[in-house]
């Protein structure tokens, strides 16, 4: 089932202990789309400036990503982020953010993008996430990412956005901040309890299925990203946890979270059927998201993922199975 | 195979967001011994003062722990630690440490303690760890814990101690600090490379087996404790990672690491055979250590573990299997 992603398309300047890049392709929607493209057809919605090159669009096109809803804003500058990572890559300092064309961005979705069955709302202002969500009322599976900034300055809108999706993907610290609950499990269960009121005729739906359009809506899947430690999945019925793939050489963590989301949501989109999102499907999707993220951090920006093969992904998922197995 | 543990026996004063205790039984050797007692016979070696009660010794005796090498120092005070945990239990402040009888502690092991096949050197001064290690030259499996303090002020002695054991159990941050390597896998491999020179007649031994006495010796198993995220196991051949058991109510993390070590080493001691320590055994031992640690943090100090049953441990190991399984 095809995927629409709305989010940033950017130029990143990144410095890590292992090197630096002055101007490379980045942005949440880009990392997500490249990862998801290994599983399903992806359409990207987001703005770029005059300065955005055809070569960068070709990176997306080379992976079969549909860029016809990438909006080129005349006279505008592409979103730019500059950051630097510390010794152990776990601390990151933002040195510069130039919103550029993202200031005043109003997502315009073509009828094709609105027809996707799966939607990923990458980390953008929650009002915009809700606007886009409203344009795909019949989507089968909708996931959302966010960040500490929006929890601080737009919490109410973010909560409304969360109520409108099936799946919330956040860092564990963000889940704690969002709910005020220090315990991860309690925080996740709090978010799982957020829902719109069911219509009077609504039937209760299985916690593992995406609810039918028009019924009571609220997240049924929480993914807590835990950086170098991996990620945990919490639903009403289940808990699942997967470590990050162990790497001796990590070069650039930028985009790892969005690449994870792309692998996770992409795998779900490719395997979603009439039965909805089963626990088994979610677990396998977590493994694919984790595998994709592990490749992403091996080189700068999108450099590794654009060279990736299906066979490499399958081998890494197999390795993840091996490093977590016990009897 | 019986286990000897050398380490602290203490009174702890602990305050967490969920309550406090003014004077409860604690100490690394105590937490280790209680956990290991579910799998094997354990002998505790360590000093206490006149103030140490029979009731506390009875807690150990009730679990079948041999306390005949607990040395009561006339006129001395039992080791005392006071600490307080922050909001999310991940930060801990030490408010007071009274070494008491631990100052000038010279471990005296009975012939029975020296005859154990398995030895755990809990976190004490590395010179003392080496002294004790030398008294059990024929031990089949020796594990060691340490802390940031000894890395800072006694690093050379700690490295010598590490070269004399089979298994190193440290927090991941301590592994990084010890080796100066920010990458966990690189740090673990560095420690795995530390060994004494083989004697000229020495044969190389399988990396997964405890080497025979007299051959080249050095750690072959590294356990990186990762707090709320679980633990990773690194050997020359394998990597294994297990999340912590997810709990909605964590009351007091004190002793979790030593309880993990007790479950881990205890399980190995109970299943060690002529074949040495296999990868399968290590993985299952990790699950038992993780299960024991998860019970420990549910209540203050030793309160939960002393009430624990074999059936509860087995059920939790089964749950750990379930929450990490994917296909």
């Amino acid at each position: 089932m095809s995927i629409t992603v709305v989010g940033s398309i950017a130029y990143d300047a990144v410095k890590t202990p292992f090197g630096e890049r002055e101007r490379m392709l980045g942005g949440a929607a880009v990392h997500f789309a490249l990862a998801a493209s290994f599983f399903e057809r992806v359409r990207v919605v987001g703005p770029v400036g005059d300065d955005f090159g055809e070569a960068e669009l070709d990176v997306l096109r080379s992976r079969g990503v549909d860029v016809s809803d990438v909006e080129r804003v005349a006279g505008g500058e592409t979103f730019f982020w500059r950051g630097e990572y510390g010794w152990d890559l776990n601390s990151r300092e933002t040195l510069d953010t130039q919103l550029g064309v993202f200031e005043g961005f109003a997502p315009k979705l073509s009828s094709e993008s609105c027809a996707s069955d799966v939607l990923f709302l990458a980390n953008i202002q929650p009002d915009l996430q809700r606007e886009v969500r409203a344009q795909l009322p019949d989507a089968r599976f909708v996931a959302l990412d966010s960040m500490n900034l929006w929890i601080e300055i737009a919490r109410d809108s973010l909560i409304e956005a969360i109520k409108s999706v099936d799946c919330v993907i956040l860092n564990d610290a963000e889940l704690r901040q969002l709910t005020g609950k220090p315990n991860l499990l309690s925080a996740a269960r709090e978010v799982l309890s957020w829902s719109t009121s069911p219509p009077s005729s609504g039937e209760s739906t299985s916690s593992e299925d995406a609810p039918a359009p028009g019924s009571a809506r609220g997240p049924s899947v929480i993914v807590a990203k835990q950086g170098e430690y991996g990620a945990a999945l919490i639903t009403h019925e289940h808990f699942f946890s997967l470590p990050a793939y162990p790497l001796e050489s990590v070069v650039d963590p930028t985009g790892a979270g969005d690449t994870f989301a792309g692998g996770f949501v992409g795998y779900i989109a490719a395997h979603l059927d009439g039965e909805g999102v089963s626990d088994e499907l979610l677990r396998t999707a977590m493994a694919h998201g984790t595998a994709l993220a592990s490749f992403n951090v091996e080189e700068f920006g999108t450099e590794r993922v654009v060279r990736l093969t299906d066979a490499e992904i399958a081998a890494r998922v197999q390795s993840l199975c091996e490093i977590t197995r016990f009897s």
Side-chain angles (χ1 to χ4, degrees), chain A:
Chain A
M1 295 181 174
S2 69
I3 306 167
T4 292
V5 52
V6 181
S8 60
I9 302 162
Y11 282 121
D12 287 343
V14 172
K15 187 173 178 182
T16 85
F18 308 101
E20 53 190 305
R21 293 289 185 278
E22 256 310 300
R23 190 174 173 83
M24 64 182 179
L25 176 62
V30 169
H31 285 290
F32 176 94
L34 290 175
S37 73
F38 287 90
F39 307 102
E40 262 300 354
R41 182 144 177 90
V42 187
R43 296 173 183 279
V44 173
V45 179
V48 297
D50 292 326
D51 56 337
F52 198 74
E54 275 303 306
E56 279 77 17
L57 281 179
D58 282 343
V59 170
L60 290 163
R61 288 189 191 110
S62 74
R63 290 279 336 138
V65 175
D66 188 321
V67 295
S68 47
D69 276 7
V70 172
E71 184 191 354
R72 195 179 283 275
V73 181
E77 294 260 328
T78 301
F79 182 93
F80 176 78
W81 177 78
R82 179 185 294 278
E84 183 170 346
Y85 290 83
W87 182 70
D88 64 1
L89 298 174
N90 287 327
S91 63
R92 166 168 110 173
E93 194 183 357
T94 289
L95 300 172
D96 191 12
T97 304
Q98 300 286 340
L99 287 179
V101 292
F102 240 81
E103 209 154 8
F105 169 53
K108 295 175 196 71
L109 280 71
S110 63
S111 57
E112 289 83 358
S113 287
C114 288
S116 284
D117 289 299
V118 173
L119 172 64
F120 183 64
L121 302 164
N123 168 32
I124 54 175
Q125 215 283 343
D127 294 343
L128 293 182
Q129 291 181 315
R130 292 159 67 190
E131 238 173 71
V132 173
R133 174 68 185 94
Q135 293 180 53
L136 284 88
D138 298 331
R140 296 278 315 280
F141 186 78
V142 182
L144 163 155
D145 185 19
S146 191
M147 71 184 294
N148 53 354
L149 174 69
W150 308 124
I151 297 172
E152 284 156 25
I153 69 172
R155 185 171 181 274
D156 290 348
S157 180
L158 176 57
I159 290 175
E160 288 308 307
I162 286 173
K163 287 180 181 175
S164 77
V165 303
D166 305 295
C167 174
V168 174
I169 302 176
L170 288 175
N171 295 328
D172 58 352
E174 291 165 349
L175 274 168
R176 293 182 163 115
Q177 184 191 3
L178 176 64
T179 59
K181 290 183 185 294
N183 180 281
L184 178 64
L185 210 49
S186 303
R189 288 189 174 150
E190 168 80 17
V191 178
L192 284 172
S193 76
W194 294 346
S195 62
T196 56
S197 305
S200 52
S201 64
E203 285 176 30
S204 70
T205 54
S206 159
S207 63
E208 292 182 9
D209 294 354
S215 72
R217 189 109 207 183
S220 57
V221 178
I222 312 293
V223 175
K225 294 179 286 184
Q226 300 168 319
E228 64 163 325
Y229 297 111
L233 173 90
I234 305 104
T235 63
H236 290 288
E237 304 292 331
H238 296 284
F239 182 95
F240 174 66
S241 181
L242 194 64
Y245 183 81
L247 291 168
E248 208 150 355
S249 170
V250 177
V251 167
D252 173 20
T254 310
D258 296 304
T259 303
F260 170 89
F264 177 74
V265 174
Y267 190 87
I268 290 173
H271 295 85
L272 202 58
D273 59 21
E275 302 298 305
V277 186
S278 70
D279 178 51
E280 288 301 318
L281 174 53
L282 288 170
R283 288 170 182 245
T284 316
M286 286 277 287
H288 284 80
T290 299
L292 264 295
S294 74
F295 285 113
N296 176 76
V297 303
E298 287 183 342
E299 297 181 23
F300 276 94
T302 62
E303 293 168 12
R304 180 68 183 90
V305 172
V306 295
R307 287 204 322 276
L308 199 57
T309 66
D310 291 336
E312 288 173 318
I313 296 169
R316 192 151 288 183
V317 169
Q318 185 53 43
S319 295
L320 279 167
C321 201
E322 174 58 26
I323 67 166
T324 57
R325 174 195 59 73
F326 71 95
S327 52

